Amino acid sequence: DNEDRRRDASEKLQSYLISQRMDDPVIVLGDYNDDINGKTYETNVFYNLASSASDYLFTDMEIALGSPKYWSYPSYPSHIDHILITDELFSNVDTTMVLMPDKCYPGYRYTVSDHRPVEIILK
């Protein structure tokens, strides 16, 4: 099942970060193919990371909890493209946003991607 596979991958990612990158500043970004805003293990396949607030931060959580107008996958609609950082970068986060090239380039969705890019600005 896809949900179980993503949950397993999230647990393996956390294990890797702990064993191989414990003190490194790490950014993990991309199409995670699932929501991050569930409040329990059963409703969020990334709960192990989302609930470890002292170690990890989904910098786009505010977007995920906000208006669908700003989500990264508007045709579904959902917000499944995320940016996860480790605690070494917490103080460097300035802004996270979803860019909307489809508003400027009507063919974007059909010729480039049906996802909008998620951007982070670090200071």
Side-chain angles (χ1 to χ4, degrees), residues 31 72-76 81 108-110 112-116:
D31 180 356
S72 64
Y73 190 31
S75 60
Y76 189 65
D81 303 276
Y108 176 85
R109 179 176 169 200
Y110 304 104
V112 179
S113 176
D114 57 351
H115 291 244
R116 295 172 174 161

Side-chain angles (χ1 to χ4, degrees), residues 39-84:
K39 303 284 186 217
T40 67
Y41 179 83
E42 292 76 28
T43 61
N44 184 348
V45 299
F46 308 111
Y47 184 76
N48 61 307
L49 299 167
S51 66
S52 299
S54 62
D55 299 316
Y56 311 104
L57 173 67
F58 281 101
T59 67
D60 61 301
M61 183 62 81
E62 196 171 303
I63 296 165
L65 297 171
S67 170
K69 177 180 178 179
Y70 301 105
W71 288 348
S72 64
Y73 190 31
S75 60
Y76 189 65
S78 63
H79 182 69
I80 59 174
D81 303 276
H82 307 296
I83 299 176
L84 177 75

Side-chain angles (χ1 to χ4, degrees), residues 10 13 25 41-42 45 71 73-74 84 86 101-104 118-119:
S10 181
L13 172 61
Y41 179 83
E42 292 76 28
V45 299
W71 288 348
Y73 190 31
L84 177 75
T86 56
D102 52 312
K103 302 294 183 189
C104 303
V118 181
E119 173 184 61

Side-chain angles (χ1 to χ4, degrees), residues 8-24:
D8 183 56
S10 181
E11 291 167 359
K12 286 178 179 174
L13 172 61
Q14 184 177 27
S15 178
Y16 170 78
L17 292 171
I18 290 168
S19 67
Q20 302 297 315
R21 300 288 182 209
M22 186 61 149
D23 297 318
D24 295 338

